[in-house]
């Protein structure tokens, strides 16, 4: 399987590294406006392959995406310290107006996975541009809150002393300031969270929940302040998404995609638990949230819809 990655910066290169370590794909093509950067990253990455899996990694141009089954878009300007993801919108929207048509001109059958922030709105834009080329909506998705969900599961698992793989918890809505931690539908194994805490004698009071919420919600800001960018977590998240597509796994992931309605908010792109398989998005799973969580999710949807409206796109 050929995988294209648009953008050979921190996120794109780290995603490629994660693909190599996990053996996802057979050929990876890096495309970047800075061709020298793409060539250098491809050479460096190819030297890792003998220690992991025999993938071919090379730099190329858009024409080299021909036959790609998945194209990851990680291009765009970086988030600045103190800058919200939504503030990136106007700067990155213009970048995508040039990228998406070129991707589809050479890889018209590919599933497109968007990683550029603000990812919900960039995914909405990508789906809009892709639809102009006859690409169905289910073949466009974004990383959404896949990483936020992993952060939530990790912090909660640490508090409870269990393996994060057995924490079934979701972060919904925007990948950003208005995201919603869905505590009310969280399970540890097959046991509802509150029941598990009672059984095991764990204290999960409001102060603890606020601490975990803050740990999830502000993780990116802390990392960017400390080292300038986030890339390991999202690189691994992208590898997980692409693996689900490659193997038609029908995995349940909190990716973002255009959604008909969230409460009273119509035509908005945000993250919900969705079934991801070989052709992209296969289904969206309904969740029965608490009234407060449902209200927070609708607030997140309204925030994103307002940003989409500012672009003048339906």
């Amino acid at each position: 399987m050929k995988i294209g990655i648009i953008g050979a910066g921190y996120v794109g290169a780290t995603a490629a590294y994660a693909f190599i370590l996990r053996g996802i794909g057979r050929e990876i093509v890096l495309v970047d406006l800075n061709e020298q950067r793409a060539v250098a990253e491809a050479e460096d990455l190819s030297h890792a392959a003998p220690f992991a899996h025999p993938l071919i990694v090379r730099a190329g141009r858009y024409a080299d995406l021909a036959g790609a089954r998945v194209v990851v878009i990680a291009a765009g300007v970086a988030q600045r310290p103190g800058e919200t993801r939504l503030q990136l919108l106007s700067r990155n929207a213009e970048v995508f107006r040039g990228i998406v048509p070129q991707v589809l001109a050479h890889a018209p059958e590919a599933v497109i996975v968007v990683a550029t922030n603000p990812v919900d709105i960039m995914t909405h834009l990508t789906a809009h541009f892709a639809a102009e080329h006859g690409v169905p909506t289910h073949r466009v998705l974004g990383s959404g809150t896949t990483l936020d969900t992993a952060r939530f599961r990790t912090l909660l698992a640490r508090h409870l002393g269990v393996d994060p793989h057995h924490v079934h918890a979701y972060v919904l809505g925007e990948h950003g300031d208005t995201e919603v931690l869905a505590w009310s539908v969280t399970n540890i194994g097959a046991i509802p969270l509150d029941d598990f805490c009672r059984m095991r004698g764990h204290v999960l009071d409001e102060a603890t929940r606020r601490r975990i919420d803050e740990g999830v919600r502000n993780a990116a800001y802390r990392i960017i302040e400390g080292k300038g960018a986030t890339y390991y977590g999202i690189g691994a998240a992208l590898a997980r998404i692409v693996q689900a597509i490659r193997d038609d796994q029908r995995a349940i992931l909190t990716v973002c995609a255009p959604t008909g309605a969230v409460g009273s908010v119509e035509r908005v792109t945000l993250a919900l638990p969705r079934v991801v398989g070989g052709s992209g998005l296969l289904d969206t799973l309904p969740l029965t949230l608490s009234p407060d969580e449902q209200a927070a999710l609708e607030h997140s949807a309204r925030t994103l819809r307002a940003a989409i409206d500012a672009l003048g796109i339906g």
Side-chain angles (χ1 to χ4, degrees), residues 17 20-21 42-57:
Y17 185 56
I20 292 169
L21 293 182
E43 183 174 4
D44 194 9
L45 286 162
S46 68
H47 299 160
F51 301 104
H53 296 273
L55 277 70
I56 298 169
V57 187

Side-chain angles (χ1 to χ4, degrees), residues 55-70:
L55 277 70
I56 298 169
V57 187
R58 64 186 180 94
R61 299 183 177 180
Y62 285 102
D64 295 297
L65 298 176
R69 185 173 165 195
V70 179

Side-chain angles (χ1 to χ4, degrees), residues 154-178:
T154 297
L155 292 177
L156 185 55
R158 189 176 300 165
H159 177 73
L160 300 176
V162 298
D163 183 343
H165 288 89
H166 302 293
V167 176
H168 305 295
Y170 303 100
V171 177
L172 313 175
E174 177 200 359
H175 171 55
D177 298 335
T178 66

Side-chain angles (χ1 to χ4, degrees), residues 21 35 74 81 97 102-104 111-112 156 158 181 192 202 206 210 216 218 231 234 243 263 291-292 305 307:
L21 293 182
E35 293 186 17
R97 286 190 172 90
Q102 293 189 77
V103 169
L104 293 174
V111 176
I112 298 178
L156 185 55
R158 189 176 300 165
L181 278 65
H202 291 292
E206 284 305 311
R210 284 194 300 270
V216 174
N218 295 320
Y231 38 91
I234 187 59
Q243 182 183 41
D292 287 346
R305 184 64 242 181

Side-chain angles (χ1 to χ4, degrees), residues 180-182 184 206 289-300:
V180 181
L181 278 65
S184 67
E206 284 305 311
L289 303 174
S290 72
D292 287 346
E293 290 167 351
Q294 183 63 37
L297 181 59
E298 292 187 32
H299 169 68
S300 187

Side-chain angles (χ1 to χ4, degrees), residues 156 159 183 203-214:
L156 185 55
H159 177 73
W183 292 95
V203 175
L204 192 62
D205 54 17
E206 284 305 311
T208 303
R209 292 182 186 231
R210 284 194 300 270
R211 176 176 56 80
I212 292 174
D213 185 287
E214 188 278 335

